Amino acid sequence: MLKIRLGVAPAAGTGPGEFAGLAQRLEEAGVDSLWLSELVYSPEVDPMIGMAHALARTAKLKVGTGVAILPGRHPVLVAKQLLTLAGLAPKRVLPVFGLRPARAAEHDLFPVPPGRRAAVFDESLTLLRRLLEEDEVSFDGEFFQVSEVKLGPRPAKRLDVWLGGSAPAALRRTGRLADGWLGSFLTPAQARDARLAIQEAAAEAGREIEEDHFGLSLAVAEHGLPGELVAAAARRNPGAPVTDLVATSWADARRLVEQHIEAGLSKFVIRPGPGDFDDFLEKFQAELVPLQN
């Protein structure tokens, strides 16, 4: 049986002031996990700094990036951050990485050689995984060269690295190089196809991804669909009905989560639309938390 878990993301535009007490509040409410997006040109907290703050203020809450950008960052520095967080908060650090920022205006903040972003991503992931798993690493790649790097103790439990993205190349990359997958703006049928494609790519690479390491980020906009959310859904999944990608009521949210569970997904990040976060959290607990097992 798949282990079903549901976490939440902060409301859009949640700045440091509002974020400061959020992690404790979620832990007290019994929420499994908190997920932080990388949105630089916004009031929202930086995901790595937000993770450190949330983990320090709680004892059980898991905290993840949903998603952070890896190409354009040096893998050694990223590995050091993750190992530090995992050492301070064992079993509660959930890194998910993506190829490029969701907002085009932020692309230049993560510089890579022109036309080589996918190649940099692959090499970054390969080096990052080794840094997280080996006591000493030497690496001579096209983009990164390191010699006898030692970053300190590794956590007793291996740190999983998940990826986002739904393009065919992204799914193949997940199968070849990652431990799990977090999709978004997909119908249940598309999510099933994505899972199968990842598992096929993993098998071709002589790997296996745990069956409960497939998830989805789902927005719940019960008070109306914001234009930015509609535009994002259309951009990410052209032609798909927005109501198959975004829940417009809590009944829809439960229906979509149940359909994605049938498609083989088991981890969910529920994102609030416009409205009162207290009301969102209360309905999340009443409508979706009972689906956990």
Side-chain angles (χ1 to χ4, degrees), residues 66-89:
V67 298
I69 309 308
L70 185 57
R73 286 187 164 105
H74 200 294
V76 172
L77 298 179
V78 176
K80 183 66 175 182
Q81 291 175 319
L82 292 176
L83 288 171
T84 300
L85 288 171
L88 294 169

Side-chain angles (χ1 to χ4, degrees), residues 38-124:
E38 181 135 64
L39 297 171
V40 182
Y41 297 151
S42 80
E44 299 180 27
V45 299
D46 174 88
M48 289 294 185
I49 294 175
M51 286 177 71
H53 175 87
L55 291 166
R57 300 287 292 271
T58 57
K60 297 180 180 179
L61 185 73
K62 304 182 191 76
V63 188
T65 60
V67 298
I69 309 308
L70 185 57
R73 286 187 164 105
H74 200 294
V76 172
L77 298 179
V78 176
K80 183 66 175 182
Q81 291 175 319
L82 292 176
L83 288 171
T84 300
L85 288 171
L88 294 169
K91 302 180 182 181
R92 296 199 286 138
V93 178
L94 307 173
V96 184
F97 292 108
L99 178 68
R100 58 171 55 90
R103 298 175 176 177
E106 298 176 6
H107 287 189
D108 291 345
L109 303 178
F110 304 90
V112 298
R116 305 306 308 280
R117 183 168 291 275
V120 171
F121 197 9
D122 285 356
E123 189 168 301
S124 297

Side-chain angles (χ1 to χ4, degrees), residues 7-260:
V8 302
T14 299
E18 300 89 350
F19 183 80
L22 181 62
Q24 288 170 294
R25 189 167 152 212
L26 294 178
E27 182 163 78
E28 290 168 1
V31 174
D32 178 72
S33 54
L34 169 64
W35 296 83
L36 307 176
S37 298
E38 181 135 64
L39 297 171
V40 182
Y41 297 151
S42 80
E44 299 180 27
V45 299
D46 174 88
M48 289 294 185
I49 294 175
M51 286 177 71
H53 175 87
L55 291 166
R57 300 287 292 271
T58 57
K60 297 180 180 179
L61 185 73
K62 304 182 191 76
V63 188
T65 60
V67 298
I69 309 308
L70 185 57
R73 286 187 164 105
H74 200 294
V76 172
L77 298 179
V78 176
K80 183 66 175 182
Q81 291 175 319
L82 292 176
L83 288 171
T84 300
L85 288 171
L88 294 169
K91 302 180 182 181
R92 296 199 286 138
V93 178
L94 307 173
V96 184
F97 292 108
L99 178 68
R100 58 171 55 90
R103 298 175 176 177
E106 298 176 6
H107 287 189
D108 291 345
L109 303 178
F110 304 90
V112 298
R116 305 306 308 280
R117 183 168 291 275
V120 171
F121 197 9
D122 285 356
E123 189 168 301
S124 297
L125 280 166
T126 300
L127 177 53
L128 177 64
R129 291 290 301 271
R130 288 191 56 191
L131 291 162
L132 295 176
E133 296 171 9
E134 301 175 23
D135 292 327
E136 181 178 308
V137 175
S138 295
F139 185 89
D140 185 17
E142 180 181 357
F143 307 103
F144 303 103
Q145 298 81 37
V146 300
S147 178
E148 300 178 349
V149 171
K150 300 177 182 178
L151 297 180
R154 292 177 286 116
K157 182 181 184 298
R158 181 176 173 276
L159 187 62
D160 288 341
V161 175
W162 289 33
L163 299 184
S166 56
L171 302 178
R172 291 193 296 270
R173 178 181 295 112
T174 301
R176 289 187 293 108
L177 298 172
D179 300 298
W181 174 73
L182 183 69
S184 61
F185 293 113
L186 294 173
T187 68
Q190 290 171 331
R192 181 191 300 275
D193 290 343
R195 174 181 61 81
L196 293 173
I198 291 168
Q199 291 174 322
E200 181 179 352
E204 290 174 355
R207 306 178 66 240
E208 183 177 354
I209 294 178
E210 294 182 38
E211 65 175 359
D212 66 349
H213 279 41
F214 296 88
L216 185 87
S217 179
L218 175 68
V220 180
E222 66 168 330
H223 301 299
L225 289 166
E228 184 177 355
L229 186 59
V230 173
R235 185 172 62 251
R236 295 284 298 278
N237 198 340
V242 68
T243 51
D244 286 345
L245 311 177
V246 177
T248 55
S249 69
W250 285 100
D252 279 345
R254 187 179 182 100
R255 171 182 61 82
L256 286 170
V257 169
E258 288 175 337
Q259 289 176 352
H260 281 286

